[in-house]
Amino acid sequence: MHASNFDLPTYLQRIGHTGHSGPDTATLHALMRRQLFTVPFENLDVQEGKIVSLVPEDIAEKILRQGRGGYCYEVNGLFAMALQALGIAYRFVAARPMFYPARRPRTHMAVIAEVEGRRWLCDLGFGSYGIRAPMDLDAVGVEVAQDCDTFQLTLDERGEYVLKARVEGEWANQYAFDLSPQEWIDFVPANYLNSTHPEAIFVQKLLVVLHHSTGRAILLDDMLKTVTNGQVEKRQLAREEIGEVLANLFGLAPAVAQPGR
């Protein structure tokens, strides 16, 4: 994943990483955490009626220089640019979201990084119950605590990995994937669907998520949900409050922090 306008120092500054950076496991974990905590998952472009650009230079410009976030292809694409710059091997995989009542196509993108002899699931763009640190693909069936959340990778009857999250005391399937490597161009149809289809959640609703060390903040249309150390608070926002919350809580510039609906 290469963009002519991507450079590692600018990326590290954008996510606030000041420590060691190298082709190793410690850096992989540190960068995923820092990006999750500084680059919001957001669909403002879709809410403005735009088709999200998958041109790598557009993604780098949007997130690194305009102070924006993005949804899965954008934030995971940016992370892949950083991995490539560091010399960490990776592949894109296509994942099937599993929290819908009906079976869905593989519209989600995740990243498998390979470093120091291990393979890690990395995902910076799954919203509410996305993982908060890389997950070891060899740790199948192992409950993994990440801050106040708990996740698990299992294998289903097809031999696909299934990511589960513990939600209100029960295991809930999040998505399934196999290790077939996907090319960047393979995600263009799914991106178009997510940007335009009337049944796509990103078309229907404003969705912004930003993780922090003790939880996450989620804005779904006018409902603000904050999760801190497992405690949940909800507040319905007045229309005029939304832009202020996007700017002050999620770090999105006031000029763009205006939902289109």
Side-chain angles (χ1 to χ4, degrees):
M1 183 66 176
H2 172 76
S4 60
N5 57 344
F6 176 91
D7 66 88
L8 190 60
T10 300
Y11 171 80
L12 297 177
Q13 182 179 29
R14 171 72 175 88
I15 67 171
H17 178 73
T18 58
H20 164 77
S21 298
D24 51 50
T25 305
T27 298
L28 179 73
H29 283 245
L31 295 192
M32 180 172 163
R33 295 275 287 178
R34 287 305 310 157
Q35 184 177 324
L36 272 177
F37 295 168
T38 54
V39 177
F41 177 99
E42 52 107 331
N43 67 330
L44 284 167
D45 282 354
V46 177
Q47 287 289 292
E48 289 291 337
K50 301 174 184 177
I51 297 174
V52 168
S53 174
L54 292 191
V55 175
E57 284 77 12
D58 290 347
I59 294 172
E61 173 68 22
K62 177 179 177 179
I63 300 177
L64 297 185
R65 293 171 178 83
Q66 296 179 9
R68 294 284 303 280
Y71 64 7
C72 69
Y73 318 112
E74 299 168 284
V75 292
N76 283 328
L78 183 76
F79 190 65
M81 295 179 199
L83 297 184
Q84 183 163 316
L86 287 164
I88 295 176
Y90 68 90
R91 72 182 75 176
F92 296 119
V93 294
R96 189 186 312 279
M98 299 181 71
F99 51 83
Y100 294 97
R103 187 168 174 83
R104 305 283 287 209
R106 297 186 182 191
T107 55
H108 181 60
M109 170 204 278
V111 176
I112 304 298
E114 300 183 31
V115 61
E116 297 183 329
R118 303 193 82 82
R119 299 170 303 171
W120 300 88
L121 171 65
C122 301
D123 191 356
L124 298 100
F126 197 64
S128 298
Y129 288 102
I131 58 176
R132 301 168 61 80
M135 291 192 66
D136 187 349
L137 291 189
D138 289 335
V140 171
V142 177
E143 296 187 18
V144 178
Q146 296 181 349
D147 302 324
C148 293
D149 291 330
T150 305
F151 301 95
Q152 184 182 59
L153 284 172
T154 63
L155 288 172
D156 67 11
E157 65 279 3
R158 299 180 183 87
E160 293 186 340
Y161 291 91
V162 178
L163 175 68
K164 301 174 181 284
R166 191 173 287 281
V167 179
E168 296 180 354
E170 302 289 338
W171 287 112
N173 293 339
Q174 299 303 299
Y175 57 76
F177 63 95
D178 61 31
L179 299 182
S180 302
Q182 305 294 306
E183 296 182 31
W184 184 247
I185 193 69
D186 293 333
F187 293 101
V188 169
N191 177 63
Y192 184 80
L193 183 149
N194 278 327
S195 288
T196 63
H197 198 285
E199 293 184 9
I201 182 66
F202 306 111
V203 174
Q204 293 179 347
K205 297 179 182 294
L206 172 68
L207 177 60
V208 187
V209 182
L210 186 62
H211 294 259
H212 52 79
S213 60
T214 58
R216 64 186 67 82
I218 305 164
L219 180 62
L220 184 63
D221 271 346
D222 61 355
M223 179 60 66
L224 177 63
K225 177 180 176 181
T226 56
V227 182
T228 305
N229 293 321
Q231 301 300 308
V232 178
E233 293 185 6
K234 294 183 179 181
R235 180 165 71 92
Q236 190 165 11
L237 304 177
R239 177 77 181 180
E240 57 272 15
E241 292 181 280
I242 295 176
E244 179 182 348
V245 167
L246 288 170
N248 295 335
L249 182 60
F250 295 99
L252 293 166
V256 298
Q258 299 294 332
R261 298 174 68 250

